[in-house]
Every structure is written in structure tokens, then in C-alpha cells.
CSV table of all heavy atoms in Angstrom, one decimal:
chain,number,residue,atom,x,y,z
S,7,MET,N,0.9,-1.2,0.0
S,7,MET,CA,0.0,0.0,0.0
S,7,MET,C,0.9,1.2,0.0
S,7,MET,O,1.8,1.4,0.8
S,7,MET,CB,-0.9,0.0,1.2
S,7,MET,CG,-1.8,1.2,1.3
S,7,MET,SD,-3.4,0.8,1.8
S,7,MET,CE,-3.4,1.4,3.4
S,8,LYS,N,0.6,2.1,-0.9
S,8,LYS,CA,1.5,3.3,-1.0
S,8,LYS,C,0.7,4.6,-0.6
S,8,LYS,O,-0.4,4.8,-1.1
S,8,LYS,CB,1.9,3.4,-2.5
S,8,LYS,CG,2.9,4.6,-2.7
S,8,LYS,CD,3.2,4.7,-4.2
S,8,LYS,CE,3.9,3.5,-4.8
S,8,LYS,NZ,4.2,3.7,-6.2
S,9,LYS,N,1.3,5.4,0.2
S,9,LYS,CA,0.7,6.6,0.5
S,9,LYS,C,1.6,7.8,0.1
S,9,LYS,O,2.8,7.6,0.2
S,9,LYS,CB,0.5,6.7,2.0
S,9,LYS,CG,-0.6,5.8,2.5
S,9,LYS,CD,-0.8,6.0,4.0
S,9,LYS,CE,-1.9,5.0,4.5
S,9,LYS,NZ,-2.1,5.2,6.0
S,10,HIS,N,1.1,8.8,-0.3
S,10,HIS,CA,1.9,9.9,-0.8
S,10,HIS,C,1.2,11.2,-0.5
S,10,HIS,O,0.0,11.4,-0.8
S,10,HIS,CB,2.0,9.8,-2.3
S,10,HIS,CG,3.3,10.4,-2.8
S,10,HIS,ND1,3.6,10.5,-4.2
S,10,HIS,CD2,4.3,11.0,-2.2
S,10,HIS,CE1,4.8,11.1,-4.3
S,10,HIS,NE2,5.2,11.4,-3.1
S,11,THR,N,1.9,12.0,0.3
S,11,THR,CA,1.2,13.3,0.7
S,11,THR,C,2.3,14.4,0.8
S,11,THR,O,3.4,14.1,0.9
S,11,THR,CB,0.5,13.1,2.0
S,11,THR,OG1,-0.3,14.3,2.2
S,11,THR,CG2,1.4,12.8,3.1
S,12,ARG,N,1.8,15.6,0.8
S,12,ARG,CA,2.7,16.7,1.0
S,12,ARG,C,2.3,17.4,2.3
S,12,ARG,O,1.2,17.6,2.6
S,12,ARG,CB,2.5,17.6,-0.2
S,12,ARG,CG,3.8,18.4,-0.5
S,12,ARG,CD,3.7,19.0,-1.9
S,12,ARG,NE,2.3,19.3,-2.4
S,12,ARG,CZ,2.0,20.3,-3.0
S,12,ARG,NH1,2.9,21.3,-3.3
S,12,ARG,NH2,0.8,20.5,-3.5
S,13,PRO,N,3.4,17.7,3.1
S,13,PRO,CA,3.1,18.4,4.4
S,13,PRO,C,2.7,19.8,4.2
S,13,PRO,O,3.0,20.4,3.1
S,13,PRO,CB,4.4,18.3,5.2
S,13,PRO,CG,5.4,18.2,4.1
S,13,PRO,CD,4.8,17.5,2.9
S,14,ASN,N,2.1,20.4,5.1
S,14,ASN,CA,1.7,21.8,5.1
S,14,ASN,C,3.0,22.6,5.2
S,14,ASN,O,3.9,22.3,5.9
S,14,ASN,CB,0.8,22.2,6.2
S,14,ASN,CG,-0.5,21.6,6.1
S,14,ASN,OD1,-1.0,21.4,5.0
S,14,ASN,ND2,-1.1,21.3,7.2
S,15,PRO,N,3.1,23.7,4.4
S,15,PRO,CA,4.3,24.5,4.5
S,15,PRO,C,4.5,25.1,5.9
S,15,PRO,O,3.5,25.5,6.5
S,15,PRO,CB,4.0,25.7,3.5
S,15,PRO,CG,2.9,25.2,2.6
S,15,PRO,CD,2.2,24.2,3.5
S,16,SER,N,5.7,25.1,6.4
S,16,SER,CA,6.0,25.7,7.7
S,16,SER,C,6.9,26.9,7.5
S,16,SER,O,7.4,27.1,6.4
S,16,SER,CB,6.6,24.7,8.6
S,16,SER,OG,7.8,24.3,8.2
S,17,LYS,N,7.2,27.6,8.5
S,17,LYS,CA,8.0,28.8,8.4
S,17,LYS,C,9.4,28.5,8.0
S,17,LYS,O,10.1,29.4,7.4
S,17,LYS,CB,8.0,29.5,9.8
S,17,LYS,CG,6.6,29.9,10.3
S,17,LYS,CD,6.6,30.3,11.7
S,17,LYS,CE,5.2,30.5,12.3
S,17,LYS,NZ,5.2,30.6,13.7
S,18,ASN,N,9.9,27.4,8.3
S,18,ASN,CA,11.3,27.0,8.0
S,18,ASN,C,11.5,26.6,6.5
S,18,ASN,O,12.6,26.5,6.1
S,18,ASN,CB,11.7,25.9,8.9
S,18,ASN,CG,11.8,26.4,10.4
S,18,ASN,OD1,12.0,27.6,10.6
S,18,ASN,ND2,11.5,25.5,11.3
S,19,ILE,N,10.5,26.5,5.8
S,19,ILE,CA,10.6,26.1,4.4
S,19,ILE,C,10.7,27.3,3.6
S,19,ILE,O,9.8,28.1,3.5
S,19,ILE,CB,9.5,25.2,4.0
S,19,ILE,CG1,9.4,23.9,4.8
S,19,ILE,CG2,9.6,24.9,2.5
S,19,ILE,CD1,8.3,23.0,4.4
S,20,LYS,N,11.9,27.5,2.9
S,20,LYS,CA,12.1,28.7,2.2
S,20,LYS,C,11.4,28.7,0.8
S,20,LYS,O,10.8,29.7,0.4
S,20,LYS,CB,13.6,28.9,1.9
S,20,LYS,CG,14.4,29.1,3.2
S,20,LYS,CD,15.9,29.1,2.9
S,20,LYS,CE,16.7,29.2,4.3
S,20,LYS,NZ,18.1,29.2,4.0
S,21,GLY,N,11.5,27.7,0.1
S,21,GLY,CA,10.9,27.7,-1.2
S,21,GLY,C,11.1,26.3,-1.9
S,21,GLY,O,11.8,25.5,-1.3
S,22,GLY,N,10.6,26.2,-3.0
S,22,GLY,CA,10.7,24.9,-3.7
S,22,GLY,C,9.7,24.0,-3.1
S,22,GLY,O,9.0,24.2,-2.2
S,23,ILE,N,9.7,22.8,-3.7
S,23,ILE,CA,8.7,21.8,-3.3
S,23,ILE,C,9.5,20.6,-2.8
S,23,ILE,O,10.3,20.0,-3.5
S,23,ILE,CB,7.8,21.4,-4.4
S,23,ILE,CG1,7.0,22.6,-4.9
S,23,ILE,CG2,6.9,20.3,-4.0
S,23,ILE,CD1,6.1,22.4,-6.1
S,24,LEU,N,9.2,20.3,-1.6
S,24,LEU,CA,9.8,19.1,-1.0
S,24,LEU,C,8.7,18.1,-0.8
S,24,LEU,O,7.6,18.4,-0.3
S,24,LEU,CB,10.4,19.4,0.4
S,24,LEU,CG,11.8,20.1,0.4
S,24,LEU,CD1,12.2,20.4,1.8
S,24,LEU,CD2,12.8,19.3,-0.3
S,25,GLU,N,8.9,16.9,-1.2
S,25,GLU,CA,8.0,15.9,-1.0
S,25,GLU,C,8.5,15.0,0.1
S,25,GLU,O,9.5,14.3,-0.1
S,25,GLU,CB,7.7,15.1,-2.2
S,25,GLU,CG,6.8,15.9,-3.2
S,25,GLU,CD,6.1,15.0,-4.2
S,25,GLU,OE1,5.5,14.0,-3.8
S,25,GLU,OE2,6.2,15.3,-5.4
S,26,LYS,N,7.8,14.9,1.2
S,26,LYS,CA,8.2,14.0,2.2
S,26,LYS,C,7.0,13.7,3.1
S,26,LYS,O,6.0,14.4,3.1
S,26,LYS,CB,9.4,14.6,3.1
S,26,LYS,CG,9.0,15.8,3.8
S,26,LYS,CD,10.1,16.3,4.7
S,26,LYS,CE,9.7,17.5,5.5
S,26,LYS,NZ,10.8,18.0,6.4
S,27,GLU,N,7.2,12.7,3.9
S,27,GLU,CA,6.1,12.3,4.8
S,27,GLU,C,5.9,13.4,5.9
S,27,GLU,O,6.9,13.9,6.4
S,27,GLU,CB,6.4,11.0,5.5
S,27,GLU,CG,6.5,9.8,4.5
S,27,GLU,CD,5.2,9.7,3.7
S,27,GLU,OE1,4.1,9.7,4.3
S,27,GLU,OE2,5.3,9.5,2.5
S,28,GLY,N,4.7,13.7,6.1
S,28,GLY,CA,4.5,14.7,7.2
S,28,GLY,C,3.4,14.2,8.1
S,28,GLY,O,2.7,13.2,7.8
S,29,PRO,N,3.2,14.9,9.2
S,29,PRO,CA,2.1,14.5,10.1
S,29,PRO,C,0.7,14.9,9.6
S,29,PRO,O,0.1,15.9,10.1
S,29,PRO,CB,2.5,15.3,11.4
S,29,PRO,CG,3.2,16.5,10.9
S,29,PRO,CD,3.9,16.1,9.6
S,30,VAL,N,0.3,14.2,8.7
S,30,VAL,CA,-1.0,14.5,8.1
S,30,VAL,C,-2.0,13.4,8.5
S,30,VAL,O,-1.7,12.2,8.5
S,30,VAL,CB,-1.0,14.6,6.5
S,30,VAL,CG1,-2.3,14.9,6.0
S,30,VAL,CG2,0.0,15.6,6.1
S,31,HIS,N,-3.1,13.8,8.9
S,31,HIS,CA,-4.1,12.9,9.4
S,31,HIS,C,-4.5,11.9,8.2
S,31,HIS,O,-4.5,12.4,7.1
S,31,HIS,CB,-5.4,13.6,9.8
S,31,HIS,CG,-6.4,12.6,10.5
S,31,HIS,ND1,-7.3,12.0,9.8
S,31,HIS,CD2,-6.5,12.3,11.8
S,31,HIS,CE1,-8.0,11.2,10.7
S,31,HIS,NE2,-7.5,11.4,11.9
S,32,VAL,N,-4.7,10.7,8.5
S,32,VAL,CA,-4.9,9.7,7.5
S,32,VAL,C,-6.1,10.0,6.6
S,32,VAL,O,-6.1,9.7,5.4
S,32,VAL,CB,-5.1,8.3,8.2
S,32,VAL,CG1,-6.4,8.3,9.0
S,32,VAL,CG2,-5.1,7.2,7.1
S,33,SER,N,-7.0,10.8,7.1
S,33,SER,CA,-8.2,11.1,6.3
S,33,SER,C,-7.9,12.1,5.2
S,33,SER,O,-8.6,12.3,4.2
S,33,SER,CB,-9.3,11.7,7.1
S,33,SER,OG,-8.9,12.9,7.7
S,34,ASN,N,-6.7,12.7,5.3
S,34,ASN,CA,-6.3,13.7,4.3
S,34,ASN,C,-5.4,13.1,3.3
S,34,ASN,O,-4.9,13.8,2.4
S,34,ASN,CB,-5.6,14.9,5.0
S,34,ASN,CG,-6.6,15.7,5.8
S,34,ASN,OD1,-7.8,15.8,5.5
S,34,ASN,ND2,-6.2,16.3,6.9
S,35,VAL,N,-5.0,11.9,3.4
S,35,VAL,CA,-4.0,11.3,2.5
S,35,VAL,C,-4.8,10.8,1.3
S,35,VAL,O,-5.7,10.0,1.4
S,35,VAL,CB,-3.3,10.2,3.2
S,35,VAL,CG1,-2.4,9.5,2.2
S,35,VAL,CG2,-2.4,10.8,4.4
S,36,MET,N,-4.2,11.2,0.1
S,36,MET,CA,-4.8,10.6,-1.1
S,36,MET,C,-4.1,9.2,-1.3
S,36,MET,O,-2.9,9.1,-1.2
S,36,MET,CB,-4.4,11.5,-2.3
S,36,MET,CG,-5.1,12.8,-2.2
S,36,MET,SD,-6.8,12.8,-2.6
S,36,MET,CE,-6.7,12.9,-4.4
S,37,LEU,N,-4.8,8.2,-1.6
S,37,LEU,CA,-4.2,7.0,-1.8
S,37,LEU,C,-4.7,6.4,-3.2
S,37,LEU,O,-5.7,6.9,-3.7
S,37,LEU,CB,-4.5,6.0,-0.7
S,37,LEU,CG,-5.9,5.6,-0.3
S,37,LEU,CD1,-6.5,4.6,-1.3
S,37,LEU,CD2,-5.9,5.0,1.1
S,38,VAL,N,-3.9,5.5,-3.7
S,38,VAL,CA,-4.3,4.9,-5.0
S,38,VAL,C,-5.3,3.8,-4.7
S,38,VAL,O,-4.9,2.8,-4.1
S,38,VAL,CB,-3.1,4.5,-5.7
S,38,VAL,CG1,-3.5,3.8,-7.0
S,38,VAL,CG2,-2.1,5.6,-6.0
S,39,CYS,N,-6.4,3.9,-5.3
S,39,CYS,CA,-7.4,2.9,-5.1
S,39,CYS,C,-7.1,1.6,-5.9
S,39,CYS,O,-6.8,1.7,-7.1
S,39,CYS,CB,-8.8,3.5,-5.5
S,39,CYS,SG,-10.1,2.2,-5.6
S,40,PRO,N,-7.1,0.5,-5.3
S,40,PRO,CA,-6.9,-0.8,-6.0
S,40,PRO,C,-8.0,-1.1,-6.9
S,40,PRO,O,-7.9,-1.9,-7.8
S,40,PRO,CB,-6.8,-1.8,-4.9
S,40,PRO,CG,-7.5,-1.2,-3.7
S,40,PRO,CD,-7.4,0.3,-3.8
S,41,GLY,N,-9.2,-0.5,-6.7
S,41,GLY,CA,-10.3,-0.8,-7.5
S,41,GLY,C,-10.3,-0.1,-8.8
S,41,GLY,O,-10.5,-0.7,-9.9
S,42,CYS,N,-10.1,1.3,-8.8
S,42,CYS,CA,-10.1,2.0,-10.0
S,42,CYS,C,-8.7,2.5,-10.4
S,42,CYS,O,-8.6,3.1,-11.5
S,42,CYS,CB,-11.1,3.2,-9.9
S,42,CYS,SG,-10.7,4.3,-8.5
S,43,GLY,N,-7.7,2.3,-9.6
S,43,GLY,CA,-6.3,2.5,-10.0
S,43,GLY,C,-6.0,4.0,-10.0
S,43,GLY,O,-5.0,4.3,-10.6
S,44,LYS,N,-6.7,4.8,-9.4
S,44,LYS,CA,-6.4,6.2,-9.4
S,44,LYS,C,-6.3,6.8,-8.0
S,44,LYS,O,-6.9,6.3,-7.1
S,44,LYS,CB,-7.5,7.0,-10.2
S,44,LYS,CG,-7.6,6.6,-11.6
S,44,LYS,CD,-8.8,7.4,-12.3
S,44,LYS,CE,-8.9,7.0,-13.7
S,44,LYS,NZ,-10.0,7.7,-14.4
S,45,PRO,N,-5.6,7.9,-7.8
S,45,PRO,CA,-5.6,8.5,-6.5
S,45,PRO,C,-7.0,9.0,-6.3
S,45,PRO,O,-7.7,9.6,-7.1
S,45,PRO,CB,-4.6,9.7,-6.7
S,45,PRO,CG,-3.8,9.4,-7.9
S,45,PRO,CD,-4.7,8.5,-8.8
S,46,THR,N,-7.4,8.8,-5.1
S,46,THR,CA,-8.8,9.0,-4.8
S,46,THR,C,-9.1,9.5,-3.4
S,46,THR,O,-8.3,9.3,-2.5
S,46,THR,CB,-9.7,7.8,-5.0
S,46,THR,OG1,-11.0,8.1,-4.9
S,46,THR,CG2,-9.3,6.7,-4.0
S,47,ARG,N,-10.1,10.2,-3.3
S,47,ARG,CA,-10.6,10.6,-1.9
S,47,ARG,C,-11.1,9.4,-1.2
S,47,ARG,O,-11.7,8.5,-1.9
S,47,ARG,CB,-11.7,11.7,-2.0
S,47,ARG,CG,-11.2,13.0,-2.6
S,47,ARG,CD,-10.4,13.8,-1.6
S,47,ARG,NE,-11.1,14.1,-0.4
S,47,ARG,CZ,-10.7,14.8,0.6
S,47,ARG,NH1,-9.5,15.3,0.5
S,47,ARG,NH2,-11.4,15.1,1.6
S,48,VAL,N,-10.9,9.4,0.1
S,48,VAL,CA,-11.4,8.3,0.9
S,48,VAL,C,-12.6,8.7,1.7
S,48,VAL,O,-12.6,9.7,2.3
S,48,VAL,CB,-10.3,7.7,1.8
S,48,VAL,CG1,-10.9,6.7,2.7
S,48,VAL,CG2,-9.1,7.2,1.0
S,49,GLY,N,-13.7,8.0,1.5
S,49,GLY,CA,-14.8,8.2,2.3
S,49,GLY,C,-15.0,7.2,3.4
S,49,GLY,O,-14.2,6.2,3.5
S,50,HIS,N,-16.1,7.3,4.1
S,50,HIS,CA,-16.4,6.3,5.1
S,50,HIS,C,-17.7,5.7,4.8
S,50,HIS,O,-18.7,6.4,4.5
S,50,HIS,CB,-16.4,6.8,6.5
S,50,HIS,CG,-15.1,7.2,7.0
S,50,HIS,ND1,-14.5,8.4,7.0
S,50,HIS,CD2,-14.1,6.4,7.6
S,50,HIS,CE1,-13.3,8.4,7.5
S,50,HIS,NE2,-13.0,7.2,7.9
S,51,THR,N,-17.7,4.4,4.8
S,51,THR,CA,-19.0,3.7,4.5
S,51,THR,C,-19.4,2.9,5.8
S,51,THR,O,-18.5,2.2,6.4
S,51,THR,CB,-18.8,2.7,3.4
S,51,THR,OG1,-18.5,3.4,2.2
S,51,THR,CG2,-20.1,1.9,3.1
S,52,GLU,N,-20.6,3.0,6.2
S,52,GLU,CA,-21.0,2.2,7.3
S,52,GLU,C,-21.6,0.9,6.9
S,52,GLU,O,-22.5,0.8,6.0
S,52,GLU,CB,-22.1,3.0,8.1
S,52,GLU,CG,-22.4,2.4,9.4
S,52,GLU,CD,-23.2,3.4,10.3
S,52,GLU,OE1,-23.0,4.6,10.2
S,52,GLU,OE2,-24.0,2.9,11.1
S,53,LEU,N,-21.1,-0.1,7.5
S,53,LEU,CA,-21.5,-1.5,7.1
S,53,LEU,C,-22.8,-1.8,7.9
S,53,LEU,O,-23.2,-1.2,8.9
S,53,LEU,CB,-20.4,-2.5,7.5
S,53,LEU,CG,-19.1,-2.3,6.7
S,53,LEU,CD1,-18.1,-3.4,7.2
S,53,LEU,CD2,-19.3,-2.4,5.2
S,54,PRO,N,-23.5,-2.9,7.4
S,54,PRO,CA,-24.7,-3.3,8.0
S,54,PRO,C,-24.5,-3.6,9.5
S,54,PRO,O,-25.5,-3.5,10.3
S,54,PRO,CB,-25.1,-4.5,7.2
S,54,PRO,CG,-24.6,-4.3,5.9
S,54,PRO,CD,-23.3,-3.6,6.1
S,55,ASP,N,-23.3,-4.1,9.9
S,55,ASP,CA,-23.1,-4.4,11.3
S,55,ASP,C,-22.7,-3.2,12.1
S,55,ASP,O,-22.5,-3.3,13.3
S,55,ASP,CB,-22.1,-5.5,11.4
S,55,ASP,CG,-20.7,-5.1,11.0
S,55,ASP,OD1,-20.5,-3.9,10.6
S,55,ASP,OD2,-19.7,-5.9,11.0
S,56,GLY,N,-22.7,-2.1,11.5
S,56,GLY,CA,-22.5,-0.8,12.3
S,56,GLY,C,-21.0,-0.4,12.3
S,56,GLY,O,-20.7,0.7,12.7
S,57,SER,N,-20.1,-1.2,11.8
S,57,SER,CA,-18.7,-0.8,11.7
S,57,SER,C,-18.5,0.1,10.5
S,57,SER,O,-19.3,0.1,9.5
S,57,SER,CB,-17.8,-2.0,11.6
S,57,SER,OG,-18.0,-2.7,10.4
S,58,ARG,N,-17.5,0.9,10.6
S,58,ARG,CA,-17.2,1.9,9.5
S,58,ARG,C,-15.9,1.5,8.9
S,58,ARG,O,-14.9,1.2,9.5
S,58,ARG,CB,-17.1,3.3,10.0
S,58,ARG,CG,-18.5,3.7,10.6
S,58,ARG,CD,-18.3,5.1,11.3
S,58,ARG,NE,-18.3,6.1,10.2
S,58,ARG,CZ,-17.9,7.4,10.5
S,58,ARG,NH1,-17.5,7.7,11.6
S,58,ARG,NH2,-17.9,8.3,9.5
S,59,VAL,N,-15.9,1.5,7.6
S,59,VAL,CA,-14.7,1.2,6.8
S,59,VAL,C,-14.4,2.4,5.9
S,59,VAL,O,-15.3,3.2,5.5
S,59,VAL,CB,-14.8,-0.1,6.0
S,59,VAL,CG1,-15.0,-1.3,6.9
S,59,VAL,CG2,-16.0,0.0,5.0
S,60,ARG,N,-13.1,2.5,5.5
S,60,ARG,CA,-12.8,3.5,4.5
S,60,ARG,C,-13.1,3.0,3.1
S,60,ARG,O,-13.0,1.8,2.9
S,60,ARG,CB,-11.3,3.8,4.6
S,60,ARG,CG,-11.0,4.4,5.9
S,60,ARG,CD,-9.6,5.0,5.9
S,60,ARG,NE,-8.6,4.0,5.7
S,60,ARG,CZ,-7.4,4.2,5.2
S,60,ARG,NH1,-7.0,5.5,4.8
S,60,ARG,NH2,-6.5,3.3,5.0
S,61,SER,N,-13.5,3.9,2.3
S,61,SER,CA,-13.9,3.4,0.9
S,61,SER,C,-13.6,4.4,-0.1
S,61,SER,O,-13.4,5.6,0.2
S,61,SER,CB,-15.4,3.1,0.9
S,61,SER,OG,-16.1,4.3,1.2
S,62,CYS,N,-13.4,4.0,-1.3
S,62,CYS,CA,-13.1,4.8,-2.5
S,62,CYS,C,-14.4,5.6,-2.9
S,62,CYS,O,-15.5,5.0,-3.0
S,62,CYS,CB,-12.6,4.0,-3.6
S,62,CYS,SG,-12.4,4.9,-5.2
S,63,ARG,N,-14.3,6.9,-3.0
S,63,ARG,CA,-15.5,7.6,-3.4
S,63,ARG,C,-15.8,7.5,-4.9
S,63,ARG,O,-16.8,7.9,-5.4
S,63,ARG,CB,-15.3,9.1,-3.0
S,63,ARG,CG,-15.4,9.2,-1.5
S,63,ARG,CD,-15.7,10.7,-1.1
S,63,ARG,NE,-15.8,10.8,0.3
S,63,ARG,CZ,-15.9,11.9,0.9
S,63,ARG,NH1,-15.8,13.1,0.2
S,63,ARG,NH2,-16.0,12.0,2.2
S,64,ARG,N,-14.8,7.0,-5.6
S,64,ARG,CA,-15.1,6.8,-7.1
S,64,ARG,C,-15.8,5.6,-7.4
S,64,ARG,O,-16.8,5.6,-8.1
S,64,ARG,CB,-13.7,6.8,-7.8
S,64,ARG,CG,-13.0,8.1,-7.9
S,64,ARG,CD,-11.7,7.9,-8.6
S,64,ARG,NE,-10.8,9.1,-8.7
S,64,ARG,CZ,-10.9,10.0,-9.6
S,64,ARG,NH1,-11.7,9.9,-10.6
S,64,ARG,NH2,-10.1,11.0,-9.5
S,65,CYS,N,-15.3,4.5,-6.8
S,65,CYS,CA,-15.9,3.2,-7.2
S,65,CYS,C,-16.5,2.4,-6.0
S,65,CYS,O,-16.9,1.3,-6.2
S,65,CYS,CB,-14.9,2.4,-7.9
S,65,CYS,SG,-13.5,1.8,-6.9
S,66,ASP,N,-16.4,3.0,-4.8
S,66,ASP,CA,-17.0,2.3,-3.6
S,66,ASP,C,-16.2,1.1,-3.2
S,66,ASP,O,-16.8,0.3,-2.4
S,66,ASP,CB,-18.4,2.0,-3.8
S,66,ASP,CG,-19.3,3.3,-3.7
S,66,ASP,OD1,-18.8,4.3,-3.2
S,66,ASP,OD2,-20.4,3.3,-4.3
S,67,THR,N,-15.0,0.9,-3.7
S,67,THR,CA,-14.2,-0.2,-3.1
S,67,THR,C,-13.9,0.1,-1.7
S,67,THR,O,-13.5,1.2,-1.4
S,67,THR,CB,-12.9,-0.4,-3.9
S,67,THR,OG1,-13.2,-0.8,-5.3
S,67,THR,CG2,-12.0,-1.4,-3.3
S,68,THR,N,-14.0,-0.8,-0.8
S,68,THR,CA,-13.7,-0.6,0.6
S,68,THR,C,-12.3,-1.0,0.9
S,68,THR,O,-11.8,-2.0,0.3
S,68,THR,CB,-14.7,-1.4,1.5
S,68,THR,OG1,-14.7,-2.8,1.2
S,68,THR,CG2,-16.1,-0.9,1.3
S,69,PHE,N,-11.7,-0.3,1.8
S,69,PHE,CA,-10.3,-0.6,2.2
S,69,PHE,C,-10.3,-1.2,3.6
S,69,PHE,O,-10.6,-0.5,4.5
S,69,PHE,CB,-9.4,0.7,2.1
S,69,PHE,CG,-9.5,1.4,0.8
S,69,PHE,CD1,-9.9,2.7,0.8
S,69,PHE,CD2,-9.2,0.8,-0.4
S,69,PHE,CE1,-9.9,3.4,-0.4
S,69,PHE,CE2,-9.2,1.5,-1.6
S,69,PHE,CZ,-9.6,2.8,-1.6
S,70,GLU,N,-9.9,-2.4,3.7
S,70,GLU,CA,-9.7,-2.9,5.0
S,70,GLU,C,-8.4,-2.3,5.6
S,70,GLU,O,-7.6,-1.9,4.8
S,70,GLU,CB,-9.5,-4.5,4.9
S,70,GLU,CG,-10.8,-5.2,4.4
S,70,GLU,CD,-12.0,-4.9,5.4
S,70,GLU,OE1,-11.7,-4.8,6.6
S,70,GLU,OE2,-13.1,-4.9,4.9
S,71,ASN,N,-8.4,-2.2,6.9
S,71,ASN,CA,-7.2,-1.5,7.5
S,71,ASN,C,-7.4,0.0,7.5
S,71,ASN,O,-7.2,0.8,7.1
S,71,ASN,CB,-5.9,-1.9,6.9
S,71,ASN,CG,-4.8,-1.1,7.4
S,71,ASN,OD1,-4.8,-0.7,8.5
S,71,ASN,ND2,-3.8,-0.9,6.5
H,23,LIG,ZN1,-11.8,3.3,-6.6
């Protein structure tokens, strides 16, 4: 599973673009959906048993974990 995100700019960053892992909440991370193969927003789907899972908003594939 690959995650890729960009941190919020902070005062110490002068310029240019650095890509590195940052303390970003998991809900803000774009991930590549295994269902549709594209970076996608993650939504939450409530299952019939009441548990909530993350899911692709494009194709409704659910992500375990
Ligand atoms: Zn998808």
C-alpha cells in the first residue's frame, strides 16, 4: 500500500517543493485505489453491522485496515 502526501508549508521552508512524509491525518491522505487505480478521496462507509470502513469515493471499493 502506497501513501503519498505533502506536508503543510511551515515557516522554515524557504521555497521549492519538498515531498516527504508529514504529520497529516490519515483522512487527508490521497491513496491509490486498488479498484479504479487512481488517486482518490477516501470516504467512510457504514456497514450493516455498524462498523465503519474507509472506501473509495469513485468506485466504492472498501479498504480494509
Ligand atoms: Zn476506486
Side-chain angles (χ1 to χ4, degrees):
M7 180 136 107
K8 186 187 297 184
K9 290 183 184 178
H10 208 183
T11 188
R12 209 162 27 139
N14 291 327
S16 67
K17 300 167 189 172
N18 294 329
I19 297 177
K20 296 175 183 176
I23 297 174
L24 285 177
E25 287 201 49
K26 64 178 183 178
E27 296 301 316
V30 180
H31 190 271
V32 65
S33 65
N34 291 328
V35 174
M36 296 284 274
L37 60 79
V38 177
C39 171
C42 56
K44 295 179 180 179
T46 185
R47 293 286 299 184
V48 175
H50 287 97
T51 300
E52 189 164 331
L53 297 179
D55 68 1
S57 63
R58 296 174 76 195
V59 295
R60 297 192 298 155
S61 60
C62 172
R63 290 199 175 171
R64 289 179 185 269
C65 67
D66 287 338
T67 294
T68 55
F69 307 123
E70 296 298 331
N71 172 29

